[in-house]
Amino acid sequence: MMIGRGLTNEIFEKVANRPSVIISDSNVNEIYGRNFSKIPTLSFKAGELSKTRETKEWLEDELLKMGCGRDTLLIALGGGVVTDLVGFIASTYMRGISYISVPTTLMGMVDAAIGGKTGVNTPQGKNLIGSFYHPEEIIIDLNYLDSLPEKGLSEGLVEVIKYGLIKERELFEMVESFQKENLEEIIRRSVQIKMEVVREDAREKGLRQ
């Protein structure tokens, strides 16, 4: 787990001398794709409506066309839809390959990228098909939040409020009197709480549920 600013070089170090593919959505790819021009990239239409078996199948077919094998490293660059979808692909492609989560939203940083829950939506409900599969590394670069709309920041803070109410009063109070300069500390505390819960109940049998 890496948390900080300007961690792009860390990503390049992770993929050095390894066959790698970035998977992101159309919005993220438009903003940040040029930063990773040396790494092959696949992107799909942004939004929850793309978190489907059909999108997973298309991405898997593209990986096969590219000749990706068991040594391929997937890089999930995006919000919760991307990290959930790429994690699910990594868990089934060639019966399981490595992936790195690089969340670009606050919700992704404090929740979706942590804990190994992956999956897709169906007409019957959200996340009904998926797996528990953990990334090789999670890289939380706060620089990605600079391009996040206020709505996206608010959505992430709602998740932090839940952590504060359940586990840590001081974290709740930090959100209550929110200041952007405290964002890194808020993320660090939220990640710590989420990881403690996951370690105790990785498959949602009790506490995590």
Side-chain angles (χ1 to χ4, degrees):
M1 172 82 68
M2 301 179 185
I3 303 175
R5 285 190 174 273
L7 299 178
T8 298
N9 288 338
E10 303 288 349
I11 299 171
F12 280 116
E13 288 177 10
K14 284 285 179 183
V15 304
N17 302 317
R18 297 177 69 178
S20 306
V21 177
I22 292 172
I23 300 180
S24 67
D25 66 34
S26 52
N27 290 344
V28 173
N29 189 51
E30 183 177 351
I31 299 171
Y32 297 111
R34 62 184 179 276
N35 295 341
F36 303 97
S37 58
K38 295 180 180 180
I39 306 173
T41 300
L42 294 171
S43 68
F44 56 88
K45 186 176 180 180
E48 191 76 20
L49 292 178
S50 292
K51 190 177 163 183
T52 64
R53 284 173 285 187
E54 290 74 21
T55 303
K56 180 176 183 284
E57 180 181 6
W58 177 78
L59 288 167
E60 289 165 339
D61 286 346
E62 291 301 306
L63 291 172
L64 290 168
K65 290 176 187 176
M66 295 166 68
C68 297
R70 291 182 177 175
D71 59 343
T72 298
L73 174 71
L74 299 184
I75 301 171
L77 180 67
V81 171
V82 173
T83 57
D84 282 5
L85 188 54
V86 176
F88 191 20
I89 292 170
S91 74
T92 60
Y93 189 83
M94 299 285 174
R95 297 191 175 91
I97 61 175
S98 295
Y99 79 106
I100 293 175
S101 279
V102 187
T104 58
T105 65
L106 183 56
M107 179 68 83
M109 292 176 182
V110 301
D111 182 46
I114 303 167
K117 287 202 302 185
T118 75
V120 294
N121 302 331
T122 70
Q124 290 72 32
K126 293 182 63 175
N127 300 317
L128 294 181
I129 297 178
S131 63
F132 288 95
Y133 196 73
H134 293 277
E136 177 181 303
E137 182 68 88
I138 302 170
I139 298 175
I140 296 177
D141 188 339
L142 277 71
N143 283 350
Y144 289 119
L145 298 180
D146 294 341
S147 62
L148 191 69
E150 286 297 320
K151 183 176 182 290
L153 192 64
S154 298
E155 289 172 349
L157 287 174
V158 168
E159 193 67 26
V160 176
I161 288 170
K162 286 163 57 179
Y163 295 155
L165 287 169
I166 294 168
K167 295 285 284 185
E168 187 179 316
R169 180 187 181 92
E170 188 175 347
L171 177 59
F172 178 83
E173 292 173 348
M174 287 180 73
V175 178
E176 198 172 28
S177 57
F178 176 71
Q179 297 180 359
K180 280 197 172 181
E181 55 263 35
N182 294 331
L183 194 52
E184 182 170 350
E185 180 63 19
I186 287 171
I187 291 171
R188 288 185 183 277
R189 290 185 180 214
S190 299
V191 168
Q192 183 179 3
I193 290 170
K194 179 69 180 279
M195 291 182 69
E196 287 173 358
V197 172
V198 170
R199 277 194 289 266
E200 188 169 336
D201 180 22
R203 292 183 172 267
E204 287 193 316
K205 301 295 185 182
L207 174 66
R208 187 177 181 187
Q209 186 178 34

